[in-house]
Amino acid sequence: MRIGLVQQANSSNAEANWLKLRRNIRQCAAAGAQLVILQELHNTLYFCQTEDAANFDLAEPIPGPSTERFSQLAKDSGIVLVTSLFERRTAGIYHNTAVVIEKNGQIAGKYRKMHIPDDPNYYEKFYFTPGDLGFQPIDTSVGKLGVLVCWDQWFPEAARLMALKGAQILIYPTAIGWEVPEKDRPRQLQLDAWVVSQRGHAIANGLPVVAVNRTGHEADPSGQTAGIQFWGNSFVAGPQGEIIYQASADEEVQRVVTVHLERIEKVRRIWPFFRDRRIDQYHQLARRFID
């Protein structure tokens, strides 16, 4: 599978963001990508740095204006496309939703972000209702895609359920970075933990993992903090956790990477973790905490 990664910085000009995305997607397609993956909430700035009801006006229905644009682009480019949109489901219910578009321009499926953070500069619980579509891989012409979103990256249960349902690759559109200013040592610890946790999902499930993050600095509209420096570092890991490609922290990239799906079978034969799971002993995992 030839996978295109689009890591870019966003501005407050949504039309400029769209034009840049369109150019980058086309470049990936021209370089041979069969599947192109975009970063989380790629149409706009990361608006969750503040709690502002006016930002709900950024949401749109699915299908809607963005899916129409991206569907036509996917069809024209002959690619499968993973997008990330602010979904208006109905008045008062909004989701952080990944939409997968087939190369014929049809919507193949969508995933609503399940794990919703609430931290300084990341006030997502104000905006997003937790997903209700479950952990269901999306069937496409290039394979069965286990699409998750950002904060889902830290939860092994999500990756495992996607794998148990037949996902051939785990995909994480992402918007994560450092608060500004922040000491160098904690920064590196955070970045390392982010990469290692997802490499662990690759190893535990014998699947390739793709994480596509944004880059660039985005100011805090409230002025209460210095904003977020998104750390880029979009990467692809193989089914043994090996890094196949990793982008830099502060550059916009359009990169096409080859992943060999036949390695899933080979790796699971030598590391038969699924065979050795003690499913008869895992019932307590459904509890919040075991007192």
Side-chain angles (χ1 to χ4, degrees), residues 71-130:
S71 291
Q72 189 62 53
L73 182 56
K75 184 177 180 179
D76 292 345
S77 302
I79 57 167
V80 176
L81 182 62
V82 178
T83 67
S84 176
L85 304 174
F86 186 16
E87 178 186 9
R88 183 190 185 278
R89 186 173 181 180
T90 189
I93 301 179
Y94 306 83
H95 296 283
N96 185 333
T97 303
V99 182
V100 179
I101 300 169
E102 238 322 334
K103 62 183 179 181
N104 63 2
Q106 299 299 306
I107 294 177
K110 65 184 180 181
Y111 166 82
R112 291 174 174 149
K113 186 174 181 177
M114 295 284 276
H115 303 95
I116 312 297
D118 186 53
D119 294 301
N121 295 94
Y122 296 89
Y123 298 110
E124 295 197 11
K125 278 187 168 64
F126 181 78
Y127 295 102
F128 306 130
T129 301

Side-chain angles (χ1 to χ4, degrees), residues 39-41 46 122 124 150 173-177 212-214 230:
Q39 63 207 32
E40 184 184 19
L41 300 172
Y46 179 75
Y122 296 89
E124 295 197 11
C150 200
T174 303
I176 190 169
V212 180
N213 191 22
R214 67 172 67 198
F230 290 96

Side-chain angles (χ1 to χ4, degrees), residues 254-267:
Q254 312 83 41
R255 180 65 178 258
V256 177
V257 180
T258 300
V259 170
H260 299 280
L261 296 183
E262 67 271 14
R263 290 200 61 240
I264 297 171
E265 178 80 18
K266 295 176 181 177
V267 169

